[in-house]
Amino acid sequence: MDAHGARDAYETGAAAPTPAAPPAVPAPPAVPADPVTPTVPAAFPADSVTPATPAIPAPADPAGSAQAAPAPDAASARAPAVGQARAEEPSTDPTSPANPAEAADPAEPVAPRTGVAALSPRYQIGVALALAVVAVAVCVHIGMVFLHVAPSNTLTKTHGKAIDEWIYPEFEQNWKLFAPNPLQQNVAVQVRARIRTADGDFRTTGWFDLSAEDGRAIDGNLLPSHTQQNELRRAWDFYSTTHSGENRTAASRGLLAETYLRRIVVLRLHRAEAAGPDGVLERVQVRCRTTPVRPPEWSEERISLKPVDRVLPWWTVPADESRGGAG
């Protein structure tokens, strides 16, 4: 009996027949298939697909509004399970972090420290103190040179001795490179030595042209050292300005000038190994040949071009200098 027949029987007072089956549970609504999940093809074997559950007829609705639910499609019933299984599969994307906490941006790497900042605090303090000492020494040196070349004033009159001890002989200043009287001479300083050999005999070396050695070192050198250019020449000039033609000192710095020149020539002889393997420097002698530079053709200046030789007496070499020391 369908739903219309049951309603007519109820209206006429006839007893409705007893239903043959228990009330059916309404089937869940069909869920649309996952768009990613492919539909099971019809070519698959029949036993590989779960058969659809037969629909149980619903009891008659007194109001006549109950209708049988359509049976869900087999593929539709299978789709939620397949889609759920795919959702539970772990992601294979390497850019997707497994831990949500790892999704946060990592901290920027800290650049390694270089230079003084890379040192420990103890060494940083040492570097700072060293720089401070160098800065103070440079400032003192500049101030001493300024007072040395400056006109006579209260400071130079009061502290003139201290200024001279700082300047001479290494830092002496003069105006021979500029007007009014620039240097117009070629100065050649030479030295020879008296050697005591290992067996106790004495021999005298030939003359070593120290100025020529400096000239060869400067020639073709874009950045010659200050010692190659000026050390020997300035030592001779310092000596000649503090001693007379008879080699008598005419200034209070005469002994300093003699010691300075002697130490330079002794060091040069040791560098040239003039004494030999077992020899000892006993005495040295210095001479200088000064040759005036010919003036240009357009100049009306008339000077003598004859070289001037000056030979100094023998100097005894102290024991500490004779074996390579500085005295």
Side-chain angles (χ1 to χ4, degrees):
M1 182 185 301
D2 57 2
H4 295 283
R7 184 177 60 183
D8 295 340
Y10 178 78
E11 292 177 355
T12 56
T18 302
V25 179
V31 180
D34 188 356
V36 181
T37 305
T39 306
V40 180
F44 281 8
D47 55 352
S48 62
V49 182
T50 305
T53 305
I56 302 175
D61 186 5
S65 60
Q67 296 182 357
D73 183 65
S76 301
R78 181 180 174 85
V82 176
Q84 182 179 4
R86 291 178 59 88
E88 294 177 355
E89 293 178 357
S91 175
T92 58
D93 187 1
T95 61
S96 178
N99 189 355
E102 297 178 358
D105 294 337
E108 295 183 359
V110 180
R113 296 183 298 176
T114 58
V116 179
L119 301 175
S120 62
R122 181 177 61 180
Y123 287 101
Q124 290 182 1
I125 294 175
V127 171
L129 292 177
L131 293 176
V133 171
V134 171
V136 171
V138 170
C139 293
V140 171
H141 177 71
I142 294 176
M144 289 293 189
V145 173
F146 173 77
L147 293 175
H148 174 70
V149 300
S152 179
N153 54 69
T154 304
L155 286 177
T156 56
K157 292 178 181 179
T158 306
H159 306 285
K161 184 177 180 180
I163 295 173
D164 290 343
E165 290 178 352
W166 181 278
I167 295 297
Y168 293 105
E170 286 85 359
F171 308 116
E172 181 187 4
Q173 306 294 314
N174 59 67
W175 295 95
K176 290 189 176 181
L177 183 61
F178 306 100
N181 186 25
L183 185 64
Q184 301 178 12
Q185 298 171 338
N186 288 325
V187 179
V189 179
Q190 300 174 349
V191 63
R192 64 178 178 175
R194 187 168 178 81
I195 308 298
R196 177 166 53 87
T197 61
D199 55 4
D201 294 337
F202 291 90
R203 65 181 179 87
T204 302
T205 66
W207 290 98
F208 289 84
D209 195 343
L210 305 182
S211 297
E213 294 178 2
D214 290 345
R216 288 191 295 268
I218 295 173
D219 189 19
N221 189 352
L222 296 179
L223 298 173
S225 67
H226 175 73
T227 57
Q228 294 170 343
Q229 298 179 83
N230 300 315
E231 182 185 52
L232 182 62
R233 181 183 61 82
R234 294 295 303 120
W236 174 259
D237 184 71
F238 184 33
Y239 178 87
S240 60
T241 55
T242 55
H243 289 75
S244 64
E246 291 77 18
N247 298 317
R248 296 177 182 177
T249 179
S252 60
R253 301 186 302 274
L255 180 60
L256 176 62
E258 179 181 331
T259 304
Y260 184 55
L261 179 60
R262 187 191 69 240
R263 288 179 178 178
I264 290 177
V265 297
V266 169
L267 288 175
R268 296 287 186 91
L269 290 173
H270 280 295
R271 190 183 305 170
E273 299 181 354
D278 299 322
V280 178
L281 288 175
E282 289 286 336
R283 306 175 71 187
V284 294
Q285 187 179 28
V286 179
R287 74 178 183 182
C288 178
R289 167 165 289 190
T290 303
T291 305
V293 177
R294 183 185 299 274
E297 297 180 358
W298 48 264
S299 175
E300 298 179 356
E301 185 179 3
R302 297 292 182 267
I303 62 173
S304 174
L305 301 180
K306 183 179 179 180
V308 177
D309 294 330
R310 181 175 180 180
V311 182
L312 306 185
W314 286 91
W315 291 334
T316 301
V317 180
D320 51 356
E321 295 183 18
S322 63
R323 298 188 180 276

